[in-house]
């Protein structure tokens, strides 16, 4: 059975739809390289440097801010924003909801990375506050997606009680329904009705609430550097500055999987892997990204 | 005179003891690779990325947090914690003692890196507050170890007045008694009576308050990248998640010295040194680490 | 027309003056390698690691602090300080002016990087507060230099209304007068009457308020990693610890341009570019830096 027929089996897109999707993915990658759009980030201190460098390597421009007046001012010139709730500081409890409300008011697009969702009272309060003013895209691992969908009352605690926390194909499968319901909820809040959820794992899953796409490949070394997921979230915001949510989420995840494979082939360990990863993000062409396996 | 007889001279361990110690070091390195234990860090913003990447390269898992509710929640699933008092923010003055008290209450093991001990009123207050709820391991350079032992009243100001601040063999020698007294004090507070102090320098010194071990080798380039010491502290916490304090401190210091030598041989400057260092942390085997020179 | 006569045309220095300037630049590079001076930084969280690593690679020593008591204590042993107003936190609004006042009182030399000048109410308040207690050197891109000179009332809003925000030779040219006026203002506040302003761009511009120097070369990849400018600011502070402002600003900018060219020739993308950049900062000799094209 060919790869093409595999694509038929796993989602309802026919060849024409998929060819069209591939062209829109290629266009997003191309547009970022041509337009160097600014995506602003409010992100954790561990991987903030890699997020900026990955956005630059993908062809975009980066700015990082934490004060609401900075963030809201900069959002007026940024194509999309990225918010990652790692390494919280006390003032974030008020600042993050305030920023999300400002984005919501102006219809500004943003990507949420609900890092460590479920850990810590303050993080839970912040994530719950986002429900009323939700992001355009959520990107996380399966546990985080399930935890967020549960917090927001989109799935029952029963559905949420499945085992989580281990990276595996099964875990991504466990997140299919939570991810789809989350994407549907986000889309209902979006000014243009469009949103997406991306679940990172051994197999990645991307959905707009309707179609489900599974992306294979990548590298196991991704989990041996800090910030692979965070910087993928940042690059998703970079693509969101030029493309619609589903295309942005797919383009970023495909770019990362291809770059991971190239970097792994050249690396002698996690140190050189990160160096080659940034080089590969820079060197991959729109056509290489769009030709990837999508099921 | 053979290397083995050197070992006899410098510490009272006989061949059997040392062989047993080497096996426990190898086992710690092996256990981290097999179990990927989580060690959580509350660390400075300069080197937080390298701390996480070094813990991952050693085989562990990393999480970084600053809010007490985050840190205390995460500590319930982490094998050990790492606290580094660089780049203090105002809220740390209350947060760090609160966190240390929570660790003490549950007997949670942690490594303290008293970076810049002696500089700044706030840092002194925090370090003094830790005396009542002390860590399991302290790792620092000679000046920091001497400063902490003085603050805690473990050595007289006379002993503390020796010249410090220059990295040299002499300086590590100046820290022998402060380190031993500090380790003895920590052990008295530990639930199982076990603790260690590691002094980094041209020659490293590790003690449990009883035996003193001197570790040679490593690379002068370690001082030409930021975070060699901080990330060694983080990796010490990773080993502490699976081993007793003396073994954890020895394993981490030996791993770093061997990785430093490999990286220096391949590096063309401090940029490539850091890349090769992370690769070497990943590639070194338990046997290579345990076969190191220990005196 | 030879390179030498070009130098005549573009600034009034004759051959003897320029030879003397080159010798002072070489001496600054040499002194940093010999004396490993400490330069302390209060800088943004995105590039704080690269700032420290670049200062170390240039031969200096790095310390990063944010609490006023830490910063002011450490300044007593640092040769110069670096303040970068990226990624502001709420407490900076009081802390940064307090620190600048302490530096002013003791005549402590410092470099200001007015990152994102003009964005955010808090940043504007902080930058305005620095007017009364100004730095020794300001380093920024053309837009930032123009914005700061406007905030401080050194140029009229008319002059400030020129197009800015795009990196180009023209933009650096637009900053000539603002930079010269800013440098003159800084010099009037300096205890020894000496100050400098450095404008980074395709062509760099350095002025002490009197002479204007233009530095060519470097690498376009500098804009594809985060922190090239920030770390140049940090290295400027390292040189300021051993040299007068004009020489420090020239030495740092020349070192960066030469290192950028070497790194670009070896790089396969922005990931390897950063690695080679740090190696080149380490390996360049005082003579190589001083022999650079200066117009």
């Amino acid at each position: 059975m060919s790869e093409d027929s595999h694509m038929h089996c796993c989602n309802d897109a026919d060849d024409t739809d998929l060819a069209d999707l591939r062209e829109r993915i290629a266009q997003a990658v191309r547009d970022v390289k041509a337009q160097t759009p600014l995506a602003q980030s409010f992100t954790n201190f561990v991987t903030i440097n890699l997020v900026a460098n990955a956005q630059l390597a993908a062809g975009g421009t980066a700015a990082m801010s934490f004060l609401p007046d900075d963030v809201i001012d900069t959002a007026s010139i940024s194509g999309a924003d990225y918010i990652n709730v790692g390494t919280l500081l006390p003032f974030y409890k008020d600042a993050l909801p305030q920023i999300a409300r400002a984005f919501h008011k102006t219809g500004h697009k943003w990507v949420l990375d609900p890092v460590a969702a479920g850990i810590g009272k303050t993080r839970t309060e912040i994530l719950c506050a986002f429900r009323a003013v939700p992001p355009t895209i959520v990107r996380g691992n399966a546990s985080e997606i399930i935890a967020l969908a549960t917090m927001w009352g989109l799935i029952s605690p029963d559905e949420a009680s499945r085992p989580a926390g281990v990276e595996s194909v099964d875990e991504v499968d466990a997140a299919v329904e939570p991810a789809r319901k989350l994407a549907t909820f986000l889309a209902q809040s979006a000014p243009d009705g469009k949103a997406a959820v991306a679940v990172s794992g051994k197999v990645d899953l991307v959905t707009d609430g309707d179609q489900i796409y599974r992306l294979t490949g990548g590298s196991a070394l991704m989990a041996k550097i800090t910030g692979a997921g965070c910087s993928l979230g940042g690059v998703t915001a970079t693509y969101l500055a030029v493309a619609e949510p589903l295309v942005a989420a797919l383009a970023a995840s495909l770019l990362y999987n291809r770059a991971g494979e190239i970097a792994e082939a050249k690396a002698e360990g996690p140190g050189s892997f990160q160096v080659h990863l940034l080089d590969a993000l820079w060197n991959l062409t729109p056509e290489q990204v769009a030709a990837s396996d999508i099921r």
Side-chain angles (χ1 to χ4, degrees), chain A residues 29 32-33 36-39 41 43 47-64 82 139 222 225-239 251-253 255-256 259-260 273-284:
Chain A
V29 176
V32 161
K33 287 175 188 273
T36 62
L38 173 61
S41 299
T43 189
T47 64
I48 189 168
N49 182 269
L50 184 61
V51 171
N53 274 327
Q55 291 176 320
L56 290 167
T61 309
M64 271 63 185
Y82 172 58
R139 190 222 69 84
M222 283 288 194
I225 61 168
T226 188
C230 304
S231 61
L232 170 57
V235 170
T236 303
T238 297
Y239 286 125
S253 293
L255 175 70
Y256 260 66
F273 178 78
Q274 181 170 320
V275 173
H276 291 303
L277 180 68
L278 285 168
D279 283 355
L281 292 176
W282 175 255
N283 290 313
L284 278 161

Side-chain angles (χ1 to χ4, degrees), chain A residues 83-86 88 92-93 96-97 100 110 112-135 138-139 143-145 147-153 182 185:
Chain A
I83 293 181
N84 174 307
V85 296
L88 301 174
Y92 291 10
K93 189 173 158 183
L96 280 172
W110 61 289
L112 170 65
D113 199 329
V115 174
I119 294 179
K121 186 168 156 281
T122 306
R123 182 173 288 103
T124 298
E125 285 175 14
I126 290 168
L127 290 175
C128 286
F130 286 157
R131 191 184 191 283
V133 288
V138 175
R139 190 222 69 84
S143 310
E144 291 157 354
I145 297 302
L148 187 68
T150 309
M151 271 179 210
W152 286 6
L182 191 55
F185 175 81

Side-chain angles (χ1 to χ4, degrees), chain A residues 103-178:
Chain A
F103 291 172
H104 189 71
K105 207 171 162 184
T106 57
H108 186 65
K109 298 182 290 181
W110 61 289
V111 176
L112 170 65
D113 199 329
V115 174
I119 294 179
K121 186 168 156 281
T122 306
R123 182 173 288 103
T124 298
E125 285 175 14
I126 290 168
L127 290 175
C128 286
F130 286 157
R131 191 184 191 283
V133 288
T136 318
I137 298 179
V138 175
R139 190 222 69 84
N141 65 33
S143 310
E144 291 157 354
I145 297 302
I146 294 168
L148 187 68
T150 309
M151 271 179 210
W152 286 6
L154 304 175
I155 57 172
S156 70
D158 274 5
E159 292 174 277
S161 67
R162 296 181 190 201
V166 182
E167 293 293 342
S168 71
V169 176
D170 294 298
E171 199 197 337
V172 168
D173 282 336
V176 171
E177 276 316 299

Side-chain angles (χ1 to χ4, degrees), chain A residues 186-210:
Chain A
L186 299 179
Q188 285 162 354
S189 283
D192 60 359
K194 290 179 177 174
V197 170
V199 189
S200 303
K202 211 165 175 176
V203 170
D204 299 324
L205 187 152
V206 176
T207 177
D208 58 0
D210 177 16

